[in-house]
Amino acid sequence: MTASNAAVVFVVDDDPLIRDSLKQLVASVGLQAETFSSAGSFLNTELPDKSCCLVLDIRMPDLSGLDLQAELIKRKVSIPIIFITGHGTVPMSVKAMKAGAVEFLEKPLEDQVLIDAIQYAIKQHTQIRVEQSAISMIKRRIRSLTSREHDILLLVSAGTLNRHIADKLKMSESTVKTHRARIMGKMEVRSLAELVRATEKAGMQHT
């Protein structure tokens, strides 16, 4: 993995010594690191189009780590979070994990434990990105359908038989079959099962 396409680890901590040491640690395993002294400054950053994760101090002035996590969820920003803290509590860790944090680590940090957590978080984000890309592609294919094909797609993926679709949409069964073939082609699927899985991934509401 070259420096240009290496995954990015964002470090948000108000302690400059910790930011510097974590940046060096991340770089030592071939990953990019970007550091921030506050949650607010991280919020103003546009995330790159690559796999990444966030190493986040839980206690900071102004916005805390938990506040930042809540704001990212509100903004629908999907990035795995590893919380670090010098004085965490069980309720804090429970709240963070329930909200989707990957890990909750106490300072002083063990290098290998943190690196393992980072590698896991990046792998998780890579999988999320692959899934999001697949869903986007399916939605583009759905948008390429005509309104009639869209109606038929909803009925077909709900398990409606051709003759019942023909009756419902006031057309011949052979016309339904022709539309189905076109739909399968545009959706780039080879079976009804694949078609159903695709519409479910796209979040279509079946009639």
Side-chain angles (χ1 to χ4, degrees), residues 109-165:
L109 301 166
E110 290 185 33
D111 288 357
Q112 192 56 52
V113 171
L114 178 58
I115 289 299
D116 288 346
I118 287 171
Q119 298 286 15
Y120 175 79
I122 288 170
K123 182 179 179 182
Q124 186 183 75
H125 194 232
T126 300
Q127 291 170 341
I128 289 169
R129 282 167 49 79
V130 168
E131 187 68 15
Q132 287 175 338
S133 177
I135 291 170
S136 294
M137 187 178 295
I138 291 167
K139 287 182 175 179
R140 283 196 298 272
R141 291 170 183 168
I142 290 171
R143 286 196 296 271
S144 76
L145 302 177
T146 65
S147 58
R148 179 45 56 93
E149 286 168 348
H150 192 274
D151 292 341
I152 292 172
L153 171 63
L154 286 170
L155 292 165
V156 168
S157 56
T160 311
L161 298 174
N162 285 347
R163 65 177 182 274
H164 294 155
I165 294 173

Side-chain angles (χ1 to χ4, degrees), residues 21-144:
S21 66
L22 291 183
K23 186 170 186 175
Q24 290 176 21
L25 177 64
V26 168
S28 74
V29 292
L31 300 173
Q32 290 186 54
E34 292 189 26
T35 63
F36 300 85
S37 60
S38 69
S41 58
F42 174 76
L43 277 174
N44 293 327
T45 299
E46 186 174 339
L47 297 183
D49 185 19
K50 59 172 70 176
S51 298
C52 52
C53 73
L54 174 58
V55 177
L56 177 60
D57 189 19
I58 204 159
R59 285 185 191 266
M60 290 182 290
D62 302 320
L63 278 180
S64 72
L66 289 173
D67 292 334
L68 175 55
Q69 182 187 37
E71 183 61 27
L72 291 172
I73 291 169
K74 181 181 173 183
R75 296 186 185 189
K76 295 183 168 58
V77 175
S78 176
I79 180 171
I81 298 174
I82 298 161
F83 276 107
I84 57 175
T85 180
H87 27 60
T89 64
V90 172
M92 268 186 190
S93 63
V94 169
K95 184 175 181 180
M97 300 300 277
K98 278 188 174 180
V102 170
E103 189 59 270
F104 192 96
L105 303 175
E106 290 193 14
K107 301 172 185 175
L109 301 166
E110 290 185 33
D111 288 357
Q112 192 56 52
V113 171
L114 178 58
I115 289 299
D116 288 346
I118 287 171
Q119 298 286 15
Y120 175 79
I122 288 170
K123 182 179 179 182
Q124 186 183 75
H125 194 232
T126 300
Q127 291 170 341
I128 289 169
R129 282 167 49 79
V130 168
E131 187 68 15
Q132 287 175 338
S133 177
I135 291 170
S136 294
M137 187 178 295
I138 291 167
K139 287 182 175 179
R140 283 196 298 272
R141 291 170 183 168
I142 290 171
R143 286 196 296 271
S144 76

